[in-house]
Amino acid sequence: MIDQLADKVRAGERVSAGEALELYRDAPTALLGRLADAIRARKHPEGIVSYIIDRNVNYTNVCVAKCNFCAFYRPVGSPEGYVLGFDELFRKIDETIAVGGVQLLLQGGHNPDLPLSWYEDLFRAVKARYPSFKLHALSPPEVIHLSRLSQLPVPAIIERLIAAGLDSIPGGGAEILVDRVRTLLHCDGKATADEWLGVMRHAHHAGLRTTATMMYGTVETDEERLEHLLRLRALQDETGGFTAFIAWSFQPGHTELSAARLIHEATGVEYLRTLAIARIVLDNVDNLQASWVTQGGKVGQLSLAYGANDMGSVMIEENVVRAAGASYCMDEVEIVRNIEDAGFAAKRRSMHYEILGDPIFREREVPRMHELATARADGDTRVPVELANYPARSRVGKKRPTV
Ligand code: SF4
């Protein structure tokens, strides 16, 4: 039966939920890799593996959602809570541009003291200073949070964010798009599976391209992982708006979930099998990223033989995965070395996966990054002055001094 399924995949036919489950559970890992690699080669015959130079900035860690798998958030009023000032964000963009960066991946907690106007003003200010710099910002749950906070429907929020400068929506907050799992992860309140998909549908209809993600390795079954992939495939059939898919494993360090249940981090083989089955199931998604941030550079490099055609982002800054204990770091030189050693040509790309050129360090002198930056240095408790211009919703925020 596995042989027949393998022939079906080789022939480029679509697999059903049951067939995908059989392959995922029973096919030898090497076979899954060969099938996924053949699809990757069919979709990307030029032998290029791309990457983007951008910066992953978390504008606030204050969050009311309290997902139990998250080690990053701080509750409202926590002395460790922060909101970045516009000036700090501009400095981060300057540093990103200095190393050849083209966009910010901007995500953060659901902070009740940041109204829609804060985001609009920030996006406008960024675009006024850096007109060609891209904003890949606000995952679907953040859009839903803004919709609830401002009592406006999701399409109106997306429209206003686009008018202010939003270029693309990252696929964060998807975890597993099955409500049984989301309830157990305490993330059904921030977005149900339908709500997450609904934001992406609206974004695609509004003309944005977005990414899709999956965080596996918590409480879900194999069937639920595949249901997640099938729901993404169905929306992609409908809109064609997903540029890429990224899977990563749950990072258990310092999380409420790992304290409550004994959950071991998924292994490298499980990651490679999950990536390969994603390449097979998501036959309508062109790009699959290697998640070396959670898996490390070596497994990240192996991903290129299991269906991935993109190495994601050069890491300048990381806060979320690091909070849960993982701190892998690669600058452009390292990423390119991994791609070329695996037998591919390394090319820089844009948010829309257009090739921008050869590695920037071969074109001009760029500073090497030896240390991974964080949003804020430990113990830095500055409150940005401009926050006084925005109406706060929390009791703590209302007590903030005004200018
Ligand atoms: S994962 Fe996001 S929404 Fe959930 S608690 Fe962490 S910061 Fe908040």
Side-chain angles (χ1 to χ4, degrees), residues 61 63-67 69-73 108-110 141 175 187 190:
N61 63 348
C63 189
V64 292
K66 301 183 178 172
C67 310
F69 57 84
C70 177
F72 168 70
Y73 82 88
H110 301 187
E175 333 312 355
C187 68
K190 74 175 180 184

Side-chain angles (χ1 to χ4, degrees), residues 181-328:
V181 178
R182 303 185 75 75
T183 304
L184 289 171
L185 297 182
H186 300 180
C187 68
D188 53 327
K190 74 175 180 184
T192 63
D194 282 346
E195 285 173 329
W196 190 97
L197 290 160
V199 172
M200 287 309 197
R201 182 177 288 107
H202 287 305
H204 296 167
H205 286 156
L208 295 184
R209 309 279 322 266
T210 75
T211 54
T213 67
M214 172 167 88
M215 183 193 71
Y216 67 93
T218 57
V219 298
E220 79 283 353
T221 62
D222 290 347
E223 287 87 343
E224 286 165 334
R225 288 182 193 178
L226 291 166
E227 186 178 337
H228 177 97
L229 296 176
L230 290 163
R231 294 209 72 183
L232 293 176
R233 186 171 80 179
L235 183 56
Q236 182 73 338
D237 278 344
E238 191 186 319
T239 64
F242 290 123
T243 53
F245 172 77
I246 311 121
W248 62 80
S249 57
F250 167 57
Q251 304 296 303
H254 314 297
T255 62
E256 193 189 321
L257 180 63
S258 65
R261 294 168 183 246
L262 186 61
I263 296 182
H264 295 293
E265 189 182 341
T267 64
V269 167
E270 195 173 357
Y271 171 71
L272 294 173
R273 293 182 68 84
T274 304
L275 179 69
I277 200 68
R279 181 53 103 182
I280 292 167
V281 172
L282 296 174
D283 55 3
N284 52 3
V285 175
D286 287 340
N287 302 294
L288 257 68
Q289 278 186 26
S291 178
W292 59 264
V293 180
T294 57
Q295 308 302 315
K298 295 183 178 69
V299 176
Q301 187 186 38
L302 265 181
S303 306
L304 304 179
Y306 282 77
N309 66 298
D310 186 89
M311 281 294 257
S313 168
V314 164
M315 202 45 69
I316 301 171
E317 169 171 337
E318 214 293 317
N319 306 287
V320 174
V321 174
R322 178 206 290 256
S327 60
Y328 295 113

